[in-house]
């Protein structure tokens, strides 16, 4: 996808997608004049196939699929450097959030499934326990990602230092938390929220 | 304390890390506030703010979780003190967004089944120490000045960015940490990487990212002559302390490793493996409490990976 020629026509430009990104992020993509300051300060741009300024350019050209097909959006660290430095007030960090949400909703096979998996387990932990249960997070991540030996030496060390708890108790108000998840889902189903 | 002036007192949102991998941050925060005679009461039944993963894929959920925590915080008097940079950022972001966006506020209030409390001031402990307790008073309270300790103050990402949200300090050239260090008698060093990202929560999904970014931060601090690094975020601490041995193994000698050959090109490498001495990573509260004369046994030093005691003994601070 990266090296394929881009043909711009009404058929290949998905303007609806871009409007969705703008609505979700509350930020315009049209304001960007490609100064490149966002990519220059981005600590993660070396890991991305499309650095931040190119993501915005692709969106301006209605190339949403091209953006979602890559791994760039999952390599954004949400450090807010781009948003802070943009001279035209393009909120790139929010645009990245919006793109990740659209990719997440589509639930297609992302090239960066490890980050998606980590996010999913993190959010599951909130729903199940109320707070993070770091040992479970690490163990299930390794199991599901097939990296059984990842950080194997770190676990026992952290447990002996008191940094990883073996057991975890649930929040007492866990039903309130479940309520929040349910009502957010409900609003989406009814089309009351993006 | 001047007569008639009320004792400073705060409600406290520790966040998940401070009850687990960053437990020494929690322990030392409590010890410091006790030493300064500032009240600190934990918000009952608080839950995870969602941190980066929640807003990465579901902003509405992230805002709702934080809004619910803010309303829980109303049960305890006093402004809300937050130590974790990520929790601080998320709670402040929620207040900022919901004040500006009436539609989102309506959605969030439906999700949490109650009004969103947006007016309780959320404060990072850095601003509590430097502005509310005050630098002058902080300096007066020092019992054991941290003389001769060269510290690289590490801000990371979320304490100051984007500027209109945390409103803590200048977003490109902050000084609040250095100010506090000087008040404690320590010597802040000038260094290049104090606001660079450490890789944050990629530590679970893509540790290679963390090794590369954190290595650059550690190298920069070493080159500036720092004895140690001071942080105000449990994720920064985890990445710089827990992974330091791995970083050393991965980047030990210039381009001699797999990592060196993959990522080596843009690293500020100039040192050999012998120069790569361990840098202890301190939480701001550990250093401040130490200067206030709190016994080192109650600062959680036993929980960190890079033992700071040899350095502290060397500087006659233990």
């Amino acid at each position: 996808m990266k090296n394929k020629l881009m043909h711009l026509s009404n058929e290949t430009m998905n303007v609806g997608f871009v409007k969705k990104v703008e609505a979700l992020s509350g930020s315009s993509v049209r304001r960007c004049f490609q100064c490149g300051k966002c990519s220059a300060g981005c600590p993660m741009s070396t890991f991305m196939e499309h650095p931040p300024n190119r993501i915005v350019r692709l969106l301006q050209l209605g190339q949403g699929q091209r953006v979602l097909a890559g791994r760039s959006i999952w390599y954004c660290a949400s450090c807010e450097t781009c948003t802070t430095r943009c001279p035209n007030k393009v909120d790139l960090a929010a645009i990245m959030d919006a793109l990740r949400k659209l990719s997440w909703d589509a639930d297609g096979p992302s090239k960066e499934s490890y980050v998606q998996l980590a996010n999913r387990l993190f959010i599951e932990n909130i729903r199940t326990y109320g707070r993070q249960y770091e040992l479970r997070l690490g163990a299930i991540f390794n199991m599901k990602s097939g990296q059984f030996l990842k950080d194997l030496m770190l676990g026992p060390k952290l447990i002996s230092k008191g940094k990883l708890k073996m057991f975890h108790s649930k929040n007492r108000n866990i039903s309130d938390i479940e309520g929040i998840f349910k009502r957010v889902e409900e609003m989406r189903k009814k089309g009351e929220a993006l | 304390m001047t007569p008639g002036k009320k004792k400073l007192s705060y409600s406290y949102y520790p966040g998940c890390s401070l009850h687990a991998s960053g437990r020494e941050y929690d322990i030392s925060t409590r010890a410091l506030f006790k030493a300064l005679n500032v009240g600190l009461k934990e918000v009952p039944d608080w839950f995870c703010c969602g941190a980066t993963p929640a807003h990465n894929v579901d902003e509405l959920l992230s805002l709702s979780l934080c809004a619910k925590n803010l309303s829980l915080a109303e049960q305890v008097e006093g402004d809300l003190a937050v130590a974790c940079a990520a929790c601080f950022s998320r709670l402040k972001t929620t207040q900022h967004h919901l004040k500006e966006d009436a539609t989102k506020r309506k959605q969030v209030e439906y999700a949490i089944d109650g009004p969103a409390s947006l007016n309780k001031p959320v404060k990072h402990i850095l601003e509590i120490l430097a502005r509310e307790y005050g630098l002058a008073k902080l300096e007066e309270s020092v019992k054991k000045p941290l003389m001769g300790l060269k510290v690289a103050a590490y801000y990371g990402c979320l304490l100051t960015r984007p500027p209109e949200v945390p409103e803590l300090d200048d977003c490109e050239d902050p000084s609040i940490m250095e100010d506090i260090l000087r008040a404690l008698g320590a010597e802040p060093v000038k260094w290049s990487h104090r606001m660079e990202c450490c890789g944050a929560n990629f530590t679970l999904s893509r540790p290679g990212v963390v090794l590369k970014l954190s290595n650059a931060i550690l190298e920069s601090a070493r080159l500036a002559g720092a004895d140690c690094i001071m942080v105000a975020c449990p994720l920064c601490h985890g990445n710089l302390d827990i992974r330091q041995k791995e970083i050393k193994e991965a980047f030990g000698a210039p381009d001699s490793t797999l990592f060196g050959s993959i990522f080596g090109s843009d690293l500020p490498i100039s040192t050999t493996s012998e120069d790569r001495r361990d840098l202890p990573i301190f939480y701001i509260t550990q250093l401040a409490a130490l200067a206030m004369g709190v016994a080192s046994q109650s600062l959680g030093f036993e929980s960190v990976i890079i033992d700071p005691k040899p350095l502290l003994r060397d500087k006659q601070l233990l």
Side-chain angles (χ1 to χ4, degrees):
Chain A
M1 198 110 186
K2 188 185 164 192
N3 297 317
K4 264 192 197 161
L5 274 179
M6 206 189 298
H7 296 284
L8 297 182
S9 68
N10 277 344
E11 285 72 44
T12 59
M13 290 174 74
N14 186 348
V15 181
F17 179 86
V18 180
K19 284 198 175 134
K20 238 188 218 170
V21 172
E22 292 194 323
L24 265 169
S25 64
S27 173
S28 161
V29 301
R30 283 157 291 178
R31 299 176 70 117
C32 170
F33 54 28
Q34 291 293 309
C35 71
K37 213 172 176 187
C38 49
S39 301
C42 176
M44 302 300 288
S45 64
T46 51
F47 297 101
M48 298 174 173
E49 72 273 71
H50 303 305
N53 72 304
R54 211 190 297 162
I55 296 266
V56 185
R57 186 70 186 127
L58 285 167
L59 290 176
Q60 288 174 336
L61 299 174
Q63 304 297 305
Q65 281 318 306
R66 217 172 251 261
V67 171
L68 293 192
R71 59 169 67 87
S72 298
I73 56 172
W74 297 104
Y75 269 90
C76 156
S78 301
C79 73
E80 304 268 357
T81 310
C82 48
T83 296
T84 299
R85 292 183 182 165
C86 178
N88 265 3
K89 293 207 182 317
V90 177
D91 191 347
L92 247 161
I95 289 173
M96 290 289 190
D97 272 352
L99 289 167
R100 278 183 291 252
K101 172 158 195 317
L102 291 171
S103 169
W104 180 270
D105 287 350
D107 210 20
S110 158
K111 271 193 193 162
E112 201 20 73
S113 53
Y114 284 173
V115 182
Q116 268 181 322
L117 174 63
N119 285 349
R120 181 163 285 138
L121 294 174
F122 194 94
I123 295 170
E124 261 175 33
N125 260 356
I126 303 178
R127 197 167 186 163
T128 318
Y129 301 98
R131 296 177 192 172
Q132 286 311 312
Y133 182 3
E134 288 163 326
L135 187 70
R136 179 184 184 273
L137 201 61
I140 299 193
F141 179 85
N142 281 12
M143 228 156 65
K144 292 205 170 171
S145 64
Q147 305 168 309
F148 302 108
L149 304 178
K150 179 182 155 283
D151 293 335
L152 193 67
M153 303 311 289
L154 222 49
K157 199 173 195 177
L158 296 183
I159 290 170
S160 72
K161 294 265 179 192
K163 279 177 169 285
L164 270 185
K165 281 188 206 154
M166 290 293 280
F167 303 103
H168 190 86
S169 53
K170 271 189 190 179
N171 261 37
R172 278 186 298 161
N173 53 352
I174 194 76
S175 59
D176 292 353
I177 301 165
E178 181 59 28
I180 293 174
F181 275 88
K182 282 217 169 113
R183 281 187 290 270
V184 168
E185 283 165 4
E186 183 198 315
M187 272 189 280
R188 292 243 166 79
K189 242 181 233 161
K190 287 190 191 157
E192 288 166 359
L194 287 167
Chain B
M1 196 166 301
T2 44
K5 204 174 172 192
K6 247 179 94 183
K7 183 188 160 186
L8 277 178
S9 179
Y10 296 89
S11 47
Y12 174 47
Y13 180 87
C16 305
S17 294
L18 274 79
H19 275 218
S21 58
R23 61 186 289 274
E24 61 272 21
Y25 199 9
D26 184 51
I27 295 169
S28 55
T29 300
R30 290 173 198 272
L32 173 66
F33 275 61
K34 202 172 158 205
L36 296 176
N37 194 26
V38 177
L40 200 62
K41 194 164 173 248
E42 189 166 333
V43 174
D45 295 325
W46 58 268
F47 48 85
C48 177
C49 69
T52 309
H55 78 79
N56 260 351
V57 290
D58 194 337
E59 198 209 9
L60 182 57
L61 177 68
S62 164
L63 294 174
S64 304
L65 290 172
C66 288
K68 182 74 184 172
N69 275 312
L70 286 167
S71 71
L72 286 174
E74 290 285 352
Q75 299 169 51
V76 188
E77 267 187 49
D79 297 350
L80 187 62
V82 187
C84 167
C87 302
F88 170 67
S89 166
R90 289 322 300 163
L91 293 169
K92 288 280 272 198
T93 301
T94 302
Q95 287 189 328
H96 184 79
H97 273 352
L98 298 190
K99 270 182 197 161
E100 290 200 331
D101 191 333
T103 320
K104 229 168 241 173
R105 180 170 177 174
K106 234 175 106 191
Q107 291 170 351
V108 166
E109 288 186 333
Y110 177 76
I112 66 173
D113 198 16
S117 84
L118 305 180
N119 294 320
K120 193 177 184 83
V122 175
K123 286 176 179 152
H124 193 269
I125 48 169
L126 283 171
E127 68 188 295
I128 292 175
L129 292 177
R131 310 227 175 94
E132 309 218 324
Y133 191 80
L135 287 172
K137 213 169 141 203
L138 197 67
E139 199 172 342
E140 271 170 41
S141 315
V142 169
K143 295 201 174 68
K144 197 161 64 177
L146 306 177
M147 296 290 276
L149 192 66
K150 288 187 186 161
V151 188
Y154 178 55
Y155 289 86
C157 308
L158 297 175
L159 283 175
T160 57
R161 287 195 292 252
E164 62 278 9
V165 173
E167 296 171 306
L168 183 70
D169 204 345
D170 190 286
C171 66
E172 296 288 0
D173 188 20
S175 62
I176 191 166
M177 280 184 154
E178 282 86 356
D179 293 344
I180 292 176
L181 278 170
R182 272 188 284 267
L184 302 176
E187 189 185 321
V189 301
K190 280 195 172 160
W191 65 307
S192 56
H193 277 56
R194 58 194 194 129
M195 303 191 64
E196 294 297 318
C197 179
C198 66
N201 66 339
F202 285 111
T203 192
L204 181 62
S205 49
R206 288 282 170 200
V209 168
V210 168
L211 299 191
K212 185 200 168 197
L213 298 182
S214 299
N215 175 55
I217 292 162
L218 290 163
E219 275 301 277
S220 164
R222 280 190 198 102
L223 290 171
D227 298 316
C228 57
I229 296 180
M230 179 178 90
V231 299
C233 168
L235 260 181
C236 301
H237 190 282
N239 287 340
L240 296 175
D241 175 60
I242 296 171
R243 298 225 178 250
Q244 198 168 140
K245 197 168 154 250
E246 258 176 283
I247 292 169
K248 210 156 134 183
E249 283 163 9
F251 298 96
D255 48 58
S256 68
T257 60
L258 180 63
F259 279 95
S261 56
I262 296 173
F263 301 124
S265 56
D266 54 347
L267 290 169
I269 296 278
S270 58
T271 48
T272 60
S273 48
E274 295 87 73
D275 291 332
R276 292 179 163 258
R277 63 206 149 77
D278 289 340
L279 282 184
I281 315 295
F282 290 103
Y283 284 108
I284 154 84
T285 44
Q286 288 178 312
L287 286 183
L290 199 66
M292 298 307 149
V294 176
S296 64
Q297 290 86 339
S298 44
L299 296 179
F301 286 147
E302 72 285 351
S303 287
V304 297
I305 305 292
I306 308 290
D307 186 6
K309 282 182 223 121
L311 169 69
L312 294 175
R313 261 185 234 117
D314 193 39
K315 303 279 174 187
Q316 293 168 343
L317 296 170
L318 270 196

